[in-house]
């Protein structure tokens, strides 16, 4: 069906109580970002459907990244939260045989990505990149998350592969997002100030 999707956001979900109880709700290791994505993926792997309602409209006060915060999160904080959630899901979804490889690659990959941030004039994201990697390496919520996934998983990962966004479409979406952000910017970013204040000099 055209209405079947891989996931919906946590702030716009309508979930059956039996499904919520079977899947044990949201993953405590994802308190903000990707909670809806992870829950939707587990729903799919359990054999149930995730369906969108294009005409539905939901109003929310603040984005999930701002839960528990007095002030809106900065771009730097949102990038760190998103990366931490991505690494948590990677450790949760990894096959048992590849788990050690993923764990050993966390810090080296963070160093490589930090070099990419530096070359891409995003030094303010280096600290968040390293923090997310070390946090994932010692994330005590991963074993419980993997156990929940094993308990409900009834269909293979290949069954949900067609619902994933392809590389070409993903690049187009990211390019469109960058264009929207640059269009909202009133003045160019001061790279030098970000470099010094964000720890890029180190």
């Amino acid at each position: 069906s055209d209405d079947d999707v891989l996931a919906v956001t946590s702030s716009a979900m309508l979930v059956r109580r039996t499904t919520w109880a079977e899947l044990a709700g949201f993953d405590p290791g994802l308190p903000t970002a990707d909670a809806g994505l992870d829950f939707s993926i587990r729903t799919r792997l359990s054999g149930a459907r995730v369906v969108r309602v294009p005409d539905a409209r939901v109003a929310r006060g603040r984005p999930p990244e701002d839960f528990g915060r007095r002030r809106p999160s900065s771009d730097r904080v949102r990038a760190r939260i998103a990366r931490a959630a991505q690494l948590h899901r990677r450790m949760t979804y990894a096959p048992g045989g590849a788990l050690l490889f993923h764990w050993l690659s966390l810090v080296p990959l963070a160093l490589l990505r930090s070099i990419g941030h530096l070359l891409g004039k995003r030094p303010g994201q280096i600290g968040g990149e390293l923090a997310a990697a070390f946090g994932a390496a010692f994330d005590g919520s991963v074993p419980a998350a993997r156990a929940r996934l094993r308990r409900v998983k009834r269909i293979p990962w290949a069954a949900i592969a067609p619902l994933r966004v392809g590389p070409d479409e993903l690049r187009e979406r990211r390019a469109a997002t960058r264009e929207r952000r640059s269009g909202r910017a009133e003045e160019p970013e001061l790279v030098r100030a970000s470099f010094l204040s964000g720890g890029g000099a180190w």
Side-chain angles (χ1 to χ4, degrees), residues 110-192:
L111 294 175
L112 291 176
R113 287 174 58 91
S114 296
I115 294 174
H117 289 315
L118 192 61
L119 296 177
K121 299 181 181 180
R122 301 182 301 272
Q125 296 186 17
I126 293 177
E129 184 72 44
L130 296 174
F134 281 102
F138 301 99
D139 186 354
S141 65
V142 168
R146 290 178 62 85
R148 281 193 298 271
L149 180 61
R150 285 195 304 269
R151 187 173 63 250
V152 302
K153 186 173 179 291
R154 297 187 180 91
I155 63 176
W157 286 96
I160 65 173
L163 297 171
R164 300 181 63 182
V165 176
D168 294 339
E169 184 178 354
L170 181 60
R171 282 193 294 269
E172 291 179 1
R173 291 187 180 185
R174 287 177 174 174
T177 300
R178 288 193 297 268
E179 290 178 0
R180 287 196 299 269
R181 289 178 178 176
S182 63
R184 290 196 302 263
E186 297 180 355
E187 58 184 17
E189 181 183 0
L190 296 178
V191 176
R192 182 175 297 176

Side-chain angles (χ1 to χ4, degrees), residues 45-115:
L45 293 175
S46 72
R49 296 175 62 194
V50 179
V51 181
R52 66 172 180 169
V53 182
D55 295 334
R57 296 293 181 268
V58 177
R60 67 181 184 185
R62 304 174 70 178
E65 293 85 352
D66 291 344
F67 289 170
R69 294 179 177 272
R70 294 182 178 180
R71 298 179 180 178
S73 302
S74 64
D75 291 340
R76 187 181 306 171
V77 171
R78 284 195 293 270
R80 175 181 57 79
I81 292 175
R83 182 59 177 166
Q86 183 184 37
L87 293 178
H88 175 85
R89 291 189 299 104
R90 178 177 299 174
M91 298 297 292
T92 300
Y93 302 159
L99 184 60
L100 179 60
F101 170 78
H102 282 291
W103 187 81
L104 292 174
S105 67
L106 285 171
V107 175
L109 184 59
L111 294 175
L112 291 176
R113 287 174 58 91
S114 296
I115 294 174

Side-chain angles (χ1 to χ4, degrees), residues 38-49:
D38 172 74
F39 184 82
S40 298
I41 288 176
R42 284 187 285 129
T43 300
R44 279 283 179 185
L45 293 175
S46 72
R49 296 175 62 194

